[in-house]
Amino acid sequence: MQSLTRLFHTLGFTFLLCLSMVPLASQAADTAPIPAIAAAANIKFALDDIVKNFTAETGLKVRVSYGSSGNFVAQIQHGAPFEMLLSADERYIAELNKVGFTQDEGVMYAIGRLALVAPKKSPLTLDIELNGLKTLLASGKIERFAIANPDHAPYGESARELLKNFGLWDDLQTKLILGENAAQAAQFAVSGSTQGGIIPLSLAMAPQFQALGHYVALPAKFHTPLYQRMALMPKASSTAERFYQYLQSDAARAVFTQYGFGLPVS
């Protein structure tokens, strides 16, 4: 357990599903509240870099909570004070927009991909056709395999689709360890308690992950495209609006590319 706890601290993921975003009453009256941003867990490392650059360039701050897109939708519908949502699946933005929880239909900011991953000491051989996974599963040497929960995490849903396309889903059912979101699935996949997993390529490419595991990018043709869309909430502040525009800038797009995302046409 100590090694697993140390791993979680090393990766630096955030799993709180809902943070209090209300500034302390003792704050100076002329200090503007910091906007609360909800973001899919798969963009954590990319967005952390973008937020840092945004603050350095503008002097403005935003506060980001990471989790599963489906859970954030439920929180927003129940009054969570987020000013923007960066979803891992554009369907969630459409769902919120339909019932008036966003200003408009938003914009696509990235196109996601999946990766097959394994801890460095895992017997799992990584390849894009999943032959290594098939062999290890047939030999009975797969005890645990991690993906995000497909019921509310888009990358988990895509991982399930991919495994079904390769005829592996049914045989893996009793082996699956489900992360509450993509970042938690990535933790499980390199914790040493699993033989591997299918996680977002953006997390597998992060230096924090590569220090602990191996990965191979999986072709996008194996699953439905992961179109990631963002939108502002109706009462978004000017700082949130400025951050929203910054996320569409060449500087932000370059960071998304660095972490393996495809980009929509500008």
Side-chain angles (χ1 to χ4, degrees), residues 24-62:
L24 296 175
S26 61
Q27 282 184 312
D30 59 351
T31 301
I34 299 175
I37 309 298
N42 75 290
I43 63 172
K44 175 176 170 52
F45 292 114
L47 195 61
D48 281 352
D49 286 355
I50 291 170
V51 168
K52 188 181 302 182
N53 296 341
F54 172 73
T55 298
E57 291 184 25
T58 67
L60 301 172
K61 296 181 179 180
V62 295

Side-chain angles (χ1 to χ4, degrees), residues 17 39 46 74 78 95 133 136 176 215 225-226 231 264:
L17 292 180
H78 286 85
E95 178 182 335
L133 179 58
L136 207 62
L176 290 177
Y215 76 93
L226 283 155

Side-chain angles (χ1 to χ4, degrees), residues 186-209:
Q187 284 190 6
F188 293 157
V190 293
S191 67
S193 64
T194 70
Q195 284 69 56
I198 294 177
I199 67 170
L201 176 61
S202 56
L203 298 182
M205 292 180 67
Q208 294 90 329
F209 179 92

